RNA sequence: GCGGGAAUAGCUCAGUUGGUUAGAGCGUCUGUUUGUGGCACAGAAGGCCGUGGGUUCAAGUCCCAUUUCUCGCCCCA
């Protein structure tokens, strides 16, 4: 039985062309996050099981993690998300950190589940968090970071929509306005989370079933359905509109509008799956009809750091997966033309390998990436290799070139070849590389 | 964890109601005589038809199981 060449189920091999795209996406994430002053951190891939038991839903821990017992009998998990880890790190040094703390990371995460479109077992996820600021300006800033990253890919505001909601507003509506108990509220919240995946009649029927007969008679069920259709805060009933979470949402919308985010809307149906959110929640939706999904989401979760037995630290954050971003780029024709890392392929003519080293070495010292063909193959064969590798420039080095100190540099895309000194060639390559 | 679809050359696929040595295009390799790739021409390699059972005189083709891929569900980083 031959060994399989396939990667592990639900995980991906990154061949150089795949890795190149990943480097491009991560590069944008890093550049934009750092432009807002966010610092990169990382942590071990393996965490103790308890870290997740404290906050995440049972199903995630019990059925959707890679969990095992290590040789010392410790129960551990390959991290399925980064939020507990970063909360742990902040709690560990909370007194020595400078707040507001701006941190980001691009961890590799694993979940044990059946792969499907856009959801694998292994993925990379950008996490952007701000700790220590209990102000709407924190939400506003991290949303701007998200917007900045998408714009840096070349996306425009018509390609995605930023949808805002508030967990506290939902609590107010469900508990105070509709008078539901906590079990009913929880069930309704989960239903709202799924409402766009089911026919409207089915949704209405399921919502109805949650209400008691007397609640239905008083019209509470219809009120909720009506509320969920509301497209702006202004159209909410007066009592709700004057509640403090609604006023807060309105303020955030105003701040974001001032920051020129034209694609931000209020959406009462945005729930987010996790229970740990405590305030504003938001999601960014892809407007591509073929890929209508949430590609990024987050919100305020003030309670997590406090789980480590320290003073609570107010926190906002969001996360975005590499697979969803890639789907977004593909769907909107935003995939970049990526060049190979190698700038120049050196074709050797005759037995000049040793003498060519001084030319090649000089180029490398000046920051030009040069791959040398030392196969001794015929010229056409060496050129074919360069073409196949996708390298844009070929440098010919033969005895007469070494003697003249003039070398032919050929652009493989245009077919144009010129003879120059090494110094001139280096500057041509650098100019070419910088006009990305 | 539950359900639908799929699996034939490196890739994309064809393969008749089951019937001889399993096909194409692209790609790969070799050559068209050694300082110039893409084009053209000539030739070659490459398949336990995913795997294991079964039905049959005969299975790539029908049946069962299994694995993997894929699309959904559950759940949602």
């Amino acid at each position: 039985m031959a060994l399989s060449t396939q990667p592990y189920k639900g995980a991906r091999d990154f061949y150089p062309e795949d890795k190149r795209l990943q480097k491009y996406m991560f590069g944008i994430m890093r550049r934009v996050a750092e432009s807002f002053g966010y610092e990169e951190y990382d942590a071990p891939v393996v965490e103790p099981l308890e870290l997740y038991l404290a906050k995440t839903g049972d199903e995630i821990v019990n059925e959707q993690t890679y969990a095992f017992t290590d040789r010392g009998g410790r129960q551990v998990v390959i991290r399925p998300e980064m939020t507990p880890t970063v909360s742990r790190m902040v709690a560990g040094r909370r007194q020595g950190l400078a707040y507001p703390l701006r941190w980001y990371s691009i961890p590799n995460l694993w979940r044990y589940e059946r792969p499907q479109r856009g959801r694998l077992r292994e993925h990379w996820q950008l996490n952007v968090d701000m700790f220590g600021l209990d102000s709407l300006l924190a939400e506003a800033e991290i949303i701007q970071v998200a917007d900045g990253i998408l714009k840096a890919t070349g996306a425009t505001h018509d390609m995605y929509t930023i949808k805002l909601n508030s967990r506290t507003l939902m609590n107010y509506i469900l508990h105070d306005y509709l008078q539901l108990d906590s079990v009913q509220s929880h069930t309704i919240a989960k239903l709202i989370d799924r409402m766009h995946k089911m026919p409207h009649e089915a949704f209405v029927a399921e919502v109805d079933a949650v209400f008691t007969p007397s609640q239905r008679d008083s019209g509470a069920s219809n009120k909720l359905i009506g509320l969920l259709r509301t497209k702006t805060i202004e159209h909410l009933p007066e009592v709700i509109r004057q509640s403090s979470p609604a006023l807060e949402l309105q303020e955030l919308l105003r701040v974001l509008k001032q920051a020129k985010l034209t694609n931000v809307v209020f959406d009462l149906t945005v729930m987010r799956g996790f229970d740990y959110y405590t305030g504003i929640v938001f999601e960014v939706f892809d407007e591509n009809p073929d890929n209508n999904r949430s590609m990024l989401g987050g919100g305020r979760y003030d309670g997590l750091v406090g789980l480590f037995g320290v003073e609570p630290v107010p926190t906002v954050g969001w996360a975005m997966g590499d697979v969803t971003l890639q789907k977004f780029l593909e769907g909107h024709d935003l995939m970049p033309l990526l060049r190979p890392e190698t700038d120049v392929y050196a074709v050797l003519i005759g037995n000049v390998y040793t003498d060519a080293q001084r030319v090649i070495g000089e180029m490398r010292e000046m920051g030009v990436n040069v791959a040398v063909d030392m196969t001794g193959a015929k010229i056409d064969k060496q050129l074919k290799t360069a073409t196949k590798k996708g390298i844009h420039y070929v440098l010919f080095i033969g005895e007469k070139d070494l003697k003249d100190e003039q070398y032919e540099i050929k652009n493989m895309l245009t077919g144009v070849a010129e003879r120059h000194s090494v110094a001139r060639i280096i500057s041509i390559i650098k100019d070419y590389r910088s006009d990305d």
Side-chain angles (χ1 to χ4, degrees):
Chain A
M1 183 73 178
L3 289 170
S4 171
T5 57
Q6 285 188 333
Y8 174 71
K9 182 185 180 76
R12 296 161 289 170
D13 287 327
F14 289 87
Y15 284 85
E17 62 270 25
D18 309 311
K19 194 69 186 173
R20 212 165 278 143
L21 176 64
Q22 189 192 59
K23 283 159 75 175
Y24 167 79
M25 296 194 298
F26 288 6
I28 287 176
M29 293 171 180
R30 290 196 165 96
R31 205 165 61 241
V32 175
E34 287 171 9
S35 79
F36 280 80
Y38 287 71
E39 302 172 280
E40 186 165 8
Y41 65 92
D42 209 335
V45 172
V46 173
E47 290 277 11
L49 178 67
E50 307 89 78
L51 184 62
Y52 303 96
L53 291 176
K55 50 131 290 209
T56 318
D58 287 344
E59 172 151 1
I60 290 195
V61 178
N62 295 331
E63 296 176 29
Q64 299 202 343
T65 55
Y66 280 84
F68 60 97
T69 306
D70 74 8
R71 290 174 193 272
R74 284 168 286 260
Q75 295 237 282
V76 296
V77 165
I78 302 176
R79 63 188 178 195
E81 57 160 334
M82 200 58 171
T83 306
T85 297
V86 70
S87 302
R88 174 176 67 71
M89 289 171 69
V90 170
R93 291 204 181 169
R94 75 207 172 280
Q95 292 181 335
L97 298 169
Y99 301 99
L101 189 68
R102 295 180 170 96
W103 276 8
Y104 81 93
S105 187
I106 313 177
N108 186 228
L109 307 175
W110 290 77
R111 60 177 162 218
Y112 193 88
E113 66 167 354
R114 193 132 164 203
Q116 54 186 286
R117 181 178 159 79
R119 283 165 62 81
L120 305 172
R121 288 182 166 183
E122 170 266 339
H123 75 141
W124 301 76
Q125 185 194 62
L126 171 65
N127 281 248
V128 174
D129 295 280
M130 189 195 288
F131 296 85
L133 186 63
D134 185 14
S135 155
L136 279 177
L137 295 179
E139 277 91 340
E141 179 174 293
I142 61 164
I143 289 170
Q144 286 179 75
V145 174
D147 183 62
I149 288 169
L150 292 175
K151 281 196 299 203
T153 67
T156 48
H157 278 171
D158 56 310
M159 296 177 187
Y160 59 98
T161 303
I162 301 168
K163 300 182 176 180
L164 302 183
N165 194 15
S166 161
R167 277 287 176 90
T168 34
L169 177 65
M170 286 312 287
N171 284 343
Y172 175 80
I173 289 174
L174 297 175
H175 280 123
D176 303 317
Y177 185 72
L178 296 175
Q179 302 280 308
L180 298 178
D181 65 30
S182 54
V183 174
Q184 287 176 311
S185 299
H186 193 258
T187 311
I188 291 288
K190 294 279 170 196
L191 263 176
I192 294 172
D193 207 21
R194 282 165 49 215
M195 77 175 278
H196 296 296
K197 297 180 116 182
M198 55 172 84
H200 188 66
E201 302 75 45
F203 175 74
V204 172
E206 290 205 34
V207 165
D208 259 350
V210 176
F211 287 80
T212 64
S214 65
Q215 283 170 331
R216 268 198 298 275
D217 290 345
S218 69
S221 167
N222 289 336
K223 270 194 209 167
L224 176 62
I225 302 289
L227 283 175
L228 292 174
R229 289 216 188 86
T230 312
K231 294 287 171 221
T232 68
I233 295 176
E234 289 78 11
H235 288 89
L236 290 171
E238 177 73 14
V239 232
I240 300 178
R241 199 170 2 122
Q242 293 304 324
S243 69
S244 66
L247 293 172
E248 195 180 68
L249 261 177
Q250 192 124 39
E251 173 66 6
L252 180 57
L253 280 162
R254 195 186 61 76
V255 172
L256 290 173
K257 188 152 281 180
Q258 263 181 351
K260 304 258 189 303
L261 271 66
T262 56
N263 53 341
V264 184
V265 299
F266 164 65
D267 189 331
L268 205 52
T269 66
V270 168
M271 291 304 293
R272 305 292 298 150
F274 283 138
D275 291 336
Y276 55 66
Y277 289 108
T278 54
I280 300 283
V281 289
F282 61 90
E283 289 190 343
V284 176
F285 274 79
D286 190 345
E287 286 299 320
N288 180 351
D290 298 330
N291 191 46
N292 213 299
R293 59 161 70 216
S294 165
M295 45 189 293
L296 170 168
R300 179 167 287 278
Y301 53 103
D302 287 341
L304 276 191
V305 174
L307 289 180
F308 295 88
V310 300
E311 284 294 299
V313 176
T315 310
V316 292
W318 57 263
M320 169 170 63
D322 62 334
V323 183
T324 36
L325 178 59
Q326 187 175 332
K327 291 265 174 248
F328 176 77
L329 297 182
E330 287 167 354
H332 294 280
D333 205 18
L334 293 171
M335 291 290 271
L337 286 170
L338 296 167
R339 296 177 187 176
E341 289 78 4
T342 311
D343 301 307
V344 174
Y345 195 68
V347 168
L348 303 186
I349 303 158
N351 188 20
V352 296
Y353 178 79
T354 307
D355 292 335
Q357 290 309 307
R358 69 166 198 274
V359 179
I360 294 166
E362 186 180 343
M363 294 177 76
R364 288 181 184 147
E365 276 171 32
M366 294 301 289
V368 175
N369 299 338
V370 184
V372 61
D373 190 315
M374 69 276 276
T375 60
K378 286 189 234 173
I379 315 297
D380 63 338
K381 179 77 167 77
Q382 296 191 47
L383 280 164
K384 274 185 191 167
T385 304
T387 301
K388 196 166 175 183
K389 286 176 182 291
I391 299 171
H392 290 195
Y393 278 98
V394 162
L395 179 69
F396 295 90
I397 306 177
E399 278 175 28
K400 72 177 191 198
D401 313 278
L402 287 162
K403 199 160 79 187
D404 302 346
E405 298 195 335
Q406 292 278 311
Y407 306 88
E408 185 181 323
I409 184 82
K410 179 171 183 173
N411 183 319
M412 297 296 278
L413 302 183
T414 63
V416 174
E418 299 168 334
R419 281 180 76 79
H420 292 295
S421 67
V422 177
R424 179 82 186 104
I425 288 170
I426 289 169
S427 84
I428 288 173
I429 301 297
K430 289 193 154 182
D431 285 351
Y432 179 76
R433 201 167 55 185
S434 65
D435 62 40
D436 261 330

